[in-house]
Amino acid sequence: MTDDAGVLVRRQGPVGRLTLDRPGALNALTAGMIHTLLGTLEGWAEDPAVAAVVVDGAGPKGLCAGGDVRFLVDDARDPASRGRAGAAMLAEEYRLDALVARYPKPYVALMDGVVMGGGVGISAHGSVRVVTERTMLAMPEVTIGYVPDVGGTWLLSHTPGELGTHVALTSARLGAAEAIACGLADRQVPSDRHSELVDALVAGGDPAEVVDALAVDPGPAPLLADRGWIDACYGADTVPGILAALRQCDEPGARKAADAIGRAAPLALVMTLRALRAARAATVEEALSAEYVTSRCSMRWPDFPEGVRALLVDRDGAPRWSPPTLDEVTGEVVERFLAGALDTDPELRL
C-alpha cells in the first residue's frame, strides 16, 4: 500500500484499489491526486495481474466533493500563470475521465455519500457504478459561475428526456434512485456491505454479478414523477425560454426550479445549455474537448472567482454576476467569454 498525494493505492489479489484520502476536504481532487489516479490506472490497464479496479473515498461523508476550485481561482489570478497551471490540471483530469470511460477492465466506483463535480467524472463514467442509501450526487457548477465539466455535459445530455438539463441548470441533488434513473449509476448496494463486495471481488467474482447479488431496490425516483413538466419546460431552445415555461407551469416543482435557475450565474447557464445540446451528438472525448475550452474561459471570467467567494469562502450567498441578468448575455458577451481561452494553455490530448 502506498499513500501518494492523497490517494491510497494498493493491490488486493486481482483487484487494484484506489481510495481518495482527503476526508477532511470531502476527498476533493488536487492536481497531485489526479496525476496519481491517471498514472496508476494507465499502469493497471496493461497489467495482466489486475483483473478489476475499485475506486472509493475515505471517511463516511463521500466519495469526492469535486475539484480544488480554490486552486483554480488563485492560479487564474496569478499574473505569471493566468490560469495555465489550472488548465494543465484540468487537461490531466479530463484525460483521466476519458480513460475511465474507455477503461479496458471492470471499473467499480463506490459512490457513497457526496459525489459532485470531479467526483462524478471518476465514477459515473465507470462500467460498474454503485450508489448507496447515503448518495448525494450533483453537478452544481452554475452556482459558482462555472460550466459542468469532467464529461458531465455528455452524461447529463444522455439522461432520459430533459432530466439532465433540469439537473444541470438547477444544480439538483440526486439520491440513489434518481442517479440510477438518470443513467449516472447502475445499482444500489447498502454502505455496510461494501467490504463484503470488495471481498467477493478479491475472491475472483465477476464485478457485475457480485454487485447484482448484493443490490437492493432503490425505490421510486421522485424526479421521474416530474418527467412530464420537465420535458415540456426544458424543451425550449434558450434559458429565457425555459424560465418562462417554468414560471407558467402550475407544478410546485417547476416554480422551485425557476427560483434555483434565477440564483445561478446567467452566463454560465447560457453556456451550459449550449454545451448540453452540443453533447447530445458528441462522443465523450468530443464533449471533454469542448468542456476544456469552456473551463479555461470560465477560469478567466469574473463569475467564477465571484461564485467561489460567495458560496465557498465568505459564504454570504450573494454573488455579483457579470453580466447580472440573462437579458444581458448577448452574442457579443459570449464571444468575449470564449476569447478567454489562450493559445498558450496546455494542450488537451485524449
Side-chain angles (χ1 to χ4, degrees):
M1 179 185 297
T2 61
D3 187 348
D4 191 352
V7 182
L8 292 178
V9 181
R10 69 266 201 208
R11 284 273 308 281
Q12 291 180 253
V15 177
R17 295 201 60 190
L18 294 167
T19 298
L20 308 187
D21 193 27
R22 294 182 69 216
L26 273 175
N27 301 317
L29 294 170
T30 64
M33 293 168 70
I34 292 166
H35 187 75
T36 295
L37 291 168
L38 178 60
T40 304
L41 286 171
E42 287 176 336
W44 283 347
E46 303 297 328
D47 187 344
V50 177
V53 172
V54 174
V55 177
D56 62 2
K61 294 185 177 181
L63 169 66
C64 175
D68 189 349
V69 294
R70 295 192 189 192
F71 165 75
L72 295 178
V73 168
D74 290 343
D75 183 64
R77 287 173 167 167
D78 182 348
S81 176
R82 291 196 64 197
R84 291 183 185 86
M89 171 181 162
L90 292 176
E92 191 155 57
E93 182 177 16
Y94 297 175
R95 285 196 290 273
L96 169 63
D97 299 326
L99 176 62
V100 171
R102 307 294 189 211
Y103 208 64
K105 299 177 180 181
Y107 182 100
V108 183
L110 302 183
M111 303 164 72
D112 188 25
V114 173
V115 185
M116 296 196 300
V120 175
I122 63 167
S123 59
H125 291 295
S127 55
V128 183
R129 304 161 302 172
V130 179
V131 287
T132 77
E133 72 283 357
R134 303 187 297 202
T135 296
M136 190 284 287
L137 186 151
M139 293 293 288
E141 287 78 8
V142 294
T143 64
I144 57 170
Y146 203 66
V147 177
D149 62 347
V150 299
T153 60
W154 189 90
L155 290 165
L156 293 173
S157 70
H158 286 76
T159 60
E162 296 289 346
L163 294 183
T165 311
H166 169 74
V167 170
L169 298 186
T170 64
S171 300
R173 298 184 173 193
L174 308 180
E178 293 177 320
I180 293 171
C182 286
L184 303 174
D186 300 305
R187 301 300 298 272
Q188 178 176 341
V189 174
S191 56
D192 61 4
R193 302 198 71 179
H194 282 192
S195 59
E196 185 179 348
L197 186 159
V198 173
D199 288 345
L201 295 178
V202 171
D206 176 83
E209 293 178 2
V210 168
V211 169
D212 283 347
L214 296 173
V216 297
D217 183 355
L223 201 60
L224 287 183
D226 295 331
R227 175 88 188 270
W229 66 260
I230 286 176
D231 285 357
C233 293
Y234 289 92
D237 294 330
T238 66
V239 178
I242 289 171
L243 264 178
L246 289 170
R247 288 169 176 159
Q248 292 167 9
C249 182
D250 293 332
E251 293 288 342
R255 291 192 290 273
K256 291 181 180 178
D259 290 342
I261 293 172
R263 292 189 293 270
L267 178 58
L269 290 167
V270 170
M271 299 308 300
T272 295
L273 182 62
R274 171 176 166 158
L276 289 170
R277 297 297 192 243
R280 285 177 172 171
T283 65
V284 173
E285 290 82 2
E286 288 169 343
L288 284 164
S289 294
E291 290 172 0
Y292 183 57
V293 173
T294 308
S295 298
R296 289 150 61 204
C297 297
S298 294
M299 288 192 296
R300 298 184 177 106
W301 192 264
D303 281 351
F304 181 43
E306 173 61 9
V308 171
R309 179 205 65 78
L311 275 78
L312 302 177
V313 180
D314 297 340
R315 300 191 179 186
D316 59 23
R320 296 178 291 273
W321 301 126
S322 177
T325 68
L326 280 168
D327 289 341
E328 295 171 270
V329 183
T330 62
E332 187 271 335
V333 169
V334 171
E335 288 180 8
R336 282 197 289 117
F337 172 81
L338 292 172
L342 302 180
D343 292 338
T344 54
D345 281 340
E347 181 184 359
L348 175 64
R349 295 173 288 100
L350 298 177

